[in-house]
Amino acid sequence: GREVLSRAMAALGAYRCIECNGEAAELYRDYRRGVLRISICKSCQKPVDKYIEYDPVIILINAVLCKAQAYRHILFNTKINIHGKLCIFCLLCEAYIRWLQLQDSSQNTDPDDLIRYAKEWDFYRMFGIASLEQTSFFTGIFITLWWMTPEMLKRKSDFILLLKALLLSTYGKLLLIPAVIWEHDYTPLCLAFIKVFVLISNSQAIRVTLNLNRILPWFAIFFGLILENGVVCLFQKMGWDV
């Protein structure tokens, strides 16, 4: 089981050193009877992936701290396939926040008003708008990176890996729900901090996936935000509440 999977991954060259991002043939050597020895990277002479011995909670904390090593462990040395479900759940959280703000701005309190039965469709509309905004944001990032570093995105697998990294790095949007549940006078400030945290996570995901410097990912995020805001302005001109 485990040894066969390890050999298959090694054959595909899927392992990466979390310290120097160099390729590795294996993460550990299994001597049976429960004896494991972590592999040493030939480039930096450090353990290829120290996180294979860590508790998942520790790994999560390091990911929240935006450590590049934790991101490399999650993206390259594990088989996590929750990015699709995580994306949908984060979009639902964002749609819920916008839906609540839309209801708060409504001055109609008549319980007999039949329009209140249509409020559910407002939630679906907010989900659609949030999805389009995130799609435009990612599109802006991909266009910028493909234009500036075309050699980094030559294959379809490169695009898929970067998309997976971006989707996983939006986990900060899950904090939107507690921010609303513990409602107080500083909720708008909390929402702004969550937005900044998500952007920092996106930047780190791009940097780790493509092995770039710190400036280019932020440059791509900047153009992604421009395209996203352009979509928002378009919705506003159409008379939609976003």
Side-chain angles (χ1 to χ4, degrees):
R2 179 185 294 180
E3 188 172 353
V4 172
L5 178 61
S6 177
R7 290 177 179 176
M9 293 286 288
L12 295 173
Y15 293 133
R16 297 283 185 89
C17 174
I18 64 172
E19 300 293 341
C20 67
N21 201 39
E23 293 186 0
E26 57 186 2
L27 297 180
Y28 57 86
R29 181 67 58 87
D30 190 349
Y31 291 98
R32 300 180 180 179
R33 296 182 181 178
V35 179
L36 300 177
R37 180 178 180 273
I38 297 180
S39 301
I40 302 299
C41 178
K42 296 180 180 179
S43 299
C44 64
Q45 301 302 315
K46 294 182 180 180
V48 172
D49 192 344
K50 61 183 179 181
Y51 286 115
I52 62 176
E53 292 186 320
Y54 284 28
D55 188 88
V57 176
I58 303 299
I59 299 174
L60 178 61
I61 293 175
N62 281 265
V64 171
L65 295 175
C66 292
K67 289 190 175 182
Q69 293 88 343
Y71 274 70
R72 291 191 183 104
H73 167 77
I74 294 171
L75 293 174
F76 297 119
N77 298 337
T78 61
K79 289 297 181 181
I80 296 180
N81 293 314
I82 63 170
H83 48 282
K85 296 178 181 178
L86 179 63
C87 173
I88 297 298
F89 192 71
C90 288
L91 288 174
L92 287 173
C93 293
E94 190 169 354
Y96 178 70
I97 298 301
R98 298 185 180 197
W99 182 76
L100 281 183
Q101 293 174 342
L102 183 64
Q103 302 310 310
D104 291 340
S105 63
S106 176
Q107 300 297 323
N108 194 346
T109 58
D110 185 1
D112 297 326
D113 191 354
L114 295 179
I115 298 180
R116 63 189 172 91
Y117 295 106
K119 290 182 178 180
E120 180 181 353
W121 294 104
D122 287 334
F123 175 78
Y124 298 142
R125 180 166 61 88
M126 291 300 162
F127 178 82
I129 292 174
S131 300
L132 288 175
E133 288 181 6
Q134 179 165 291
T135 301
S136 60
F137 175 66
F138 286 170
T139 301
I141 291 176
F142 276 106
I143 291 175
T144 304
L145 292 174
W146 180 80
W147 175 56
M148 300 193 68
T149 58
E151 69 280 358
M152 295 288 184
L153 298 172
K154 288 183 178 180
R155 298 170 298 177
K156 180 181 178 181
S157 59
D158 297 329
F159 282 93
I160 294 176
L161 180 61
L162 180 57
L163 178 60
K164 177 182 177 180
L166 287 172
L167 291 176
L168 289 175
S169 63
T170 58
Y171 67 91
K173 291 184 178 181
L174 298 178
L175 298 173
L176 291 171
I177 297 300
V180 173
I181 293 177
W182 300 326
E183 185 177 0
H184 49 71
D185 296 338
Y186 302 103
T187 298
L189 183 61
C190 291
L191 297 180
F193 275 123
I194 292 173
K195 178 68 173 180
V196 172
F197 175 74
V198 171
L199 293 179
I200 293 174
S201 299
N202 292 154
S203 173
Q204 191 70 309
I206 297 171
R207 175 174 171 248
V208 168
T209 304
L210 301 181
N211 197 26
L212 301 173
N213 55 35
R214 296 180 183 272
I215 298 177
L216 187 55
W218 280 110
F219 194 67
I221 287 175
F222 175 73
F223 277 95
L225 289 174
I226 290 178
L227 189 57
E228 178 184 354
N229 289 329
V231 172
V232 172
C233 292
L234 178 62
F235 288 146
Q236 291 176 342
K237 287 185 178 180
M238 294 172 60
W240 291 11
D241 293 323
V242 295

